[in-house]
Amino acid sequence: MPSRSEVLRLLDAGLDYAEAGRRLGVPAGQAFLIATGLPADGGGALTAEERRRPGMREGSTQHLSNPPARSPAGREHVRVWLRERAGRDGPLRRAAEARDVRPEGDRAPEDVRELTGLLTRDHDRVTSLVKQLNAVPGGTKGGSAARAARRETLVGLIAEALASHEPAERQHLWPAVRNALEDGDRLADQALEQESGAARTLARLERTAPDTEESDHLAQRLTEELRRHVAFEDAVFARLRKTLSEEERERLGAKVARAWTTAPDRAPDARGARPADRRGTEREE
């Protein structure tokens, strides 16, 4: 344990409590306690005499009592241990595999009809699926057959959501952007180009066996493409909220919601090639 004189000597040398604590191997709040005999979070109740103690600092010392938290899960060897431990937990693994991966709640609830709010909600639902996809170990991380099947299900759900989301945007959102914003043609063209790129990546991902290295790479690419596209649309939405009236946005939102409900369901084999036709999977005769 550092002594009071050691802490005060470092303070007299011009160091703050954070650096003094680091050099002495103790938290900053503990260094303050050693130097002053007072807790760092008691500044609001100090007497005049206590404020004159050696080692006291001007202003609040509250921050010294709450050092930054460091999560051990941020270290790769800890994450490896957690994955291995979870993999050996049979009940936990079976519960995770049985959990419904579909986003909860209505896609177009009665209290959400405004265009940008409705599309943002749908973006969140797709993002939730993409996060789940990236959380399931793939071919490069030793994923099991059950996990490969789960990844395949998630890819199908992403494709299913985008199969009605993007046509509705093309029919109702982007024409409104072209008409309402001065640079609407440029914005709409850029958005449609982004959507086309993500659609090509998704199509390749659907045709690729889920337990392969290529599937992992395509999933990561799709994640980045969708992230950029959602950020782009969020910026467009902010401008639309300033340009279009709420009544107009609600009218367009109702059209989008109606387009979703009338969109044809995708056939089981419309999400890509049959598993036996996927690259990396042998055809069974």
Side-chain angles (χ1 to χ4, degrees):
M1 175 71 67
S3 67
R4 180 170 179 268
S5 60
E6 288 177 313
V7 178
L8 291 176
R9 184 169 62 251
L10 292 175
L11 296 176
D12 290 341
L15 303 183
D16 60 13
Y17 273 109
E19 179 60 22
R22 189 188 69 79
R23 294 194 182 190
L24 296 172
V26 296
Q30 187 174 349
F32 180 85
L33 178 63
I34 293 171
T36 66
L38 298 169
D41 60 355
L46 298 181
T47 66
E49 182 179 352
E50 288 173 332
R51 292 183 182 279
R52 290 193 293 270
R53 291 188 182 185
M56 290 299 297
R57 290 292 186 259
E58 293 291 334
S60 173
T61 58
Q62 181 72 40
H63 63 285
L64 300 177
S65 65
N66 297 299
R70 292 182 175 85
S71 171
R75 300 177 181 179
E76 179 58 27
H77 72 278
V78 176
R79 290 197 293 267
V80 170
W81 180 85
L82 289 172
R83 287 195 294 267
E84 292 177 349
R85 182 67 179 270
R88 292 195 299 269
D89 189 324
L92 179 64
R93 187 176 64 252
R94 287 190 294 273
E97 291 170 355
R99 182 171 61 88
D100 188 359
V101 297
R102 289 182 180 273
E104 296 181 356
D106 293 336
R107 189 180 191 186
E110 290 297 328
D111 60 339
V112 182
R113 277 292 183 264
E114 185 268 327
L115 175 68
T116 64
L118 192 67
L119 291 176
T120 296
R121 178 182 174 84
D122 215 44
H123 288 165
D124 292 343
R125 292 167 68 84
V126 173
T127 299
S128 171
L129 293 169
V130 172
K131 287 181 177 179
Q132 291 185 67
L133 174 63
N134 285 306
V136 179
T140 59
K141 298 181 180 179
S144 63
R147 288 169 175 169
R150 191 173 186 84
R151 285 172 63 88
E152 186 174 19
T153 297
L154 286 163
V155 170
L157 290 174
I158 293 169
E160 180 181 294
L162 294 179
S164 56
H165 177 94
E166 292 180 351
E169 285 190 338
R170 288 195 296 272
Q171 185 177 1
H172 302 293
L173 170 65
W174 298 119
V177 169
R178 293 182 189 277
N179 292 329
L181 302 180
E182 183 177 351
D183 55 346
D185 285 338
R186 178 185 64 81
L187 294 172
D189 290 342
Q190 185 174 347
L192 293 173
E193 183 178 352
Q194 291 175 351
E195 290 179 0
S196 295
R200 288 192 294 270
T201 301
L202 178 58
R204 287 185 59 190
L205 181 58
E206 291 182 280
R207 294 193 301 269
T208 302
D211 56 352
T212 61
E213 182 176 352
E214 182 181 5
S215 177
D216 292 353
H217 292 325
L218 289 170
Q220 186 59 42
R221 182 193 300 178
L222 179 66
T223 299
E224 291 301 315
E225 289 174 336
L226 291 178
R227 181 188 61 79
R228 287 193 296 269
H229 183 60
V230 168
F232 178 84
E233 288 198 1
D234 284 345
V236 174
F237 292 168
R239 294 182 60 186
L240 281 182
R241 286 192 288 269
K242 294 180 179 179
T243 305
L244 295 179
S245 67
E246 184 174 357
E247 180 181 1
E248 179 65 12
R249 298 197 312 273
E250 288 184 352
R251 185 181 67 82
L252 289 168
K255 290 184 176 182
V256 167
R258 190 160 52 249
W260 289 343
T261 60
T262 58
D265 293 333
R266 302 186 71 190
D269 60 351
R271 296 204 297 254
R274 296 186 304 276
D277 295 330
R278 296 174 188 268
R279 294 192 297 278
T281 305
E282 296 181 357
R283 180 188 295 273
E284 297 180 0
E285 298 296 332

